[in-house]
Amino acid sequence: MKYFGFLRHSLLAVASVAALWSFGEAKGCTGISFKAADGSYVVGRTMEWGSFVMNSRYMIVPRGYTLMAQTPSGDEGMKITAKYGYVGIGVLKDNLLAEGINEKGLVGELFYFPGYGVFEKYDPKYNSTTIEDGQFLSWALANFATIDEMEQALKEIHVVPYGRGFGTAHFRLADSTGRQVVVEYLDGTPTIFEDRVGVVTNAPSFDFQMLNLNNYVNIMPGSAPSREIMPGVELRPFGAGSASLGLPGDVTPPSRFVRAVFYVSSARTQPTGYKAVLQTFQILNNFDVPVGIEYPDPKIMPDMLSATQWTAVADIQGRKFYYRTQYNSSLRCIDLNTIDFGKVKFQLRDLDLTREQPIEYLKIS
């Protein structure tokens, strides 16, 4: 196999974020990535949340824009002034940044990490260098062109959890050099894992996910050969793909991690970044989560089409950011090359103008 993470809170925003972090643990996202033959590097992820619609919006942040990070006490934290412009997707009313790419090609993604992450304990004396976990990506994309730069500055900031008693997050970052890492706070300090498989899900920690791959050493592409197990008794595969029998199909994070690594490692190398983007969306289809899978009682199921609320893919070399949503599977693209980040204004807009899938009706004569 080739192997290959600010703003002031209104009372409504506070309640929404509290709900986001405190709902059940069956919330999962899946991230994959590909390198194309032309040198393009593509990173994509799904965003699953089956409890309520997160009112996600795309965000355009210009150079020089200043965000005031918040602290658990409600006091102002670090002042984050954007050295680089970036685009991304924010969730809920307070613009918690869940995904984005900056003009230098640094990509950052937030993934839910319940029950395992332990951030630094909040200390008000460090307010000027403190950010909450939901502001980590804003800090990273605003300030750095590469993971190396981010890694050097990480020791100078204090990352604390949002509020009290809520779930934590971990983060994937990728840059134009081809490096990809997962940043996890496991004991109050950051741990950086090199992500050589190009995949990330949720809990447990990334080192467990990599070790767990060894349980599937027998899984491979193609079909298993027929074989005689005793005289006159031959076992034959029922169809294509029999060599992958035993690949886990449930939606738990470890199973999704194994399945994603298998799909990524067995995929064809695409000739261009654009083709790699399309391949990434197609493979991420396999990780869409039906909303009903989380609810044993249909009466309490929310009115949503899918727990997969949106899927986003960033073409790092091409500086393009694509997304689709549960309401509209058409691909939409923000081309960073067309944005003057020195002049553009800060923007925050709904991912969908209308929550309805466009349908093309064919004219048959």
Side-chain angles (χ1 to χ4, degrees):
M1 295 174 67
K2 47 181 180 178
Y3 291 107
F4 14 104
F6 41 47
L7 308 165
R8 299 184 179 279
H9 304 288
S10 66
L11 291 177
L12 178 59
V14 171
S16 298
V17 177
L20 175 65
W21 292 125
S22 60
F23 265 81
E25 295 184 357
K27 320 300 178 189
C29 308
T30 301
I32 64 176
S33 57
F34 289 102
K35 293 180 181 177
D38 66 357
S40 298
Y41 186 26
V42 170
V43 178
R45 62 88 58 81
T46 62
M47 169 57 83
E48 273 77 38
W49 197 263
S51 298
F52 53 84
V53 175
M54 294 188 294
N55 296 318
S56 304
R57 310 186 212 179
Y58 73 78
M59 185 186 306
I60 312 293
V61 180
R63 287 184 224 120
Y65 192 81
T66 296
L67 314 175
M68 291 304 303
Q70 293 298 119
T71 65
S73 67
D75 296 328
E76 290 185 349
M78 175 186 286
K79 179 186 291 187
I80 304 172
T81 299
K83 178 180 179 181
Y84 303 116
Y86 58 93
V87 305
I89 296 177
V91 294
L92 303 175
K93 296 292 185 180
D94 67 340
N95 307 317
L96 180 153
L97 186 64
E99 166 87 15
I101 176 173
N102 72 14
E103 58 183 309
K104 294 298 183 179
L106 182 67
V107 173
E109 301 165 328
L110 179 151
F111 290 80
Y112 194 43
F113 193 47
Y116 287 86
V118 179
F119 286 102
E120 183 176 342
K121 185 177 180 181
Y122 172 58
D123 188 336
K125 73 180 180 183
Y126 297 123
N127 274 355
S128 64
T129 53
T130 293
I131 59 175
E132 291 178 338
D133 54 353
Q135 299 144 1
F136 182 88
L137 294 186
S138 296
W139 168 79
L141 297 183
N143 285 291
F144 309 110
T146 66
I147 293 169
D148 286 348
E149 293 178 2
M150 183 278 302
E151 189 173 2
Q152 290 299 314
L154 201 53
K155 65 189 74 169
E156 301 172 4
I157 66 168
H158 302 273
V159 182
V160 299
Y162 175 85
R164 298 177 179 84
F166 304 130
T168 54
H170 61 171
F171 314 94
R172 176 170 72 163
L173 293 106
D175 64 25
S176 59
T177 70
R179 188 181 179 197
Q180 185 173 148
V181 300
V182 174
V183 180
E184 296 180 347
Y185 282 76
L186 301 174
D187 57 1
T189 58
T191 302
I192 296 179
F193 297 99
E194 299 293 331
D195 187 358
R196 294 185 175 88
V197 296
V199 169
V200 65
T201 56
N202 311 99
S205 59
F206 187 79
D207 53 347
F208 168 89
Q209 307 281 20
M210 290 298 296
L211 184 63
N212 185 50
L213 288 177
N214 292 287
N215 284 320
Y216 301 90
V217 67
N218 60 304
I219 301 295
M220 59 189 66
S223 296
S226 301
R227 66 188 181 95
E228 190 176 68
I229 61 171
M230 61 181 65
V233 180
E234 184 181 25
L235 302 183
R236 298 184 299 273
F238 288 122
S242 56
S244 63
L245 277 171
L247 190 69
D250 61 85
V251 300
T252 63
S255 293
R256 285 185 285 107
F257 190 94
V258 171
R259 200 160 66 251
V261 170
F262 177 71
Y263 291 159
V264 168
S265 66
S266 60
R268 177 175 178 260
T269 298
Q270 294 297 324
T272 65
Y274 173 68
K275 290 288 186 68
V277 166
L278 298 182
Q279 176 175 260
T280 302
F281 274 110
Q282 290 295 328
I283 289 179
L284 285 173
N285 284 337
N286 293 278
F287 298 93
D288 285 356
V289 176
V291 68
I293 204 169
E294 298 183 27
Y295 293 92
D297 182 357
K299 295 178 182 178
I300 62 173
M301 194 182 304
D303 183 15
M304 296 165 55
L305 297 176
S306 173
T308 304
Q309 299 204 16
W310 46 264
T311 301
V313 177
D315 178 352
I316 293 179
Q317 271 68 30
R319 302 293 196 273
K320 292 182 175 67
F321 183 75
Y322 301 81
Y323 73 89
R324 68 175 182 221
T325 72
Q326 65 171 313
Y327 302 108
N328 185 344
S329 58
S330 300
L331 301 187
R332 282 149 283 177
C333 178
I334 301 173
D335 186 347
L336 278 71
N337 301 289
T338 66
I339 301 173
D340 184 342
F341 285 101
K343 294 182 179 179
V344 72
K345 302 297 183 183
F346 176 84
Q347 298 176 37
L348 191 62
R349 310 205 175 176
D350 290 343
L351 295 186
D352 296 297
L353 294 178
T354 60
R355 293 179 177 176
E356 184 175 353
Q357 173 65 47
I359 297 176
E360 179 184 0
Y361 289 90
L362 305 181
K363 295 182 179 179
I364 307 299
S365 57

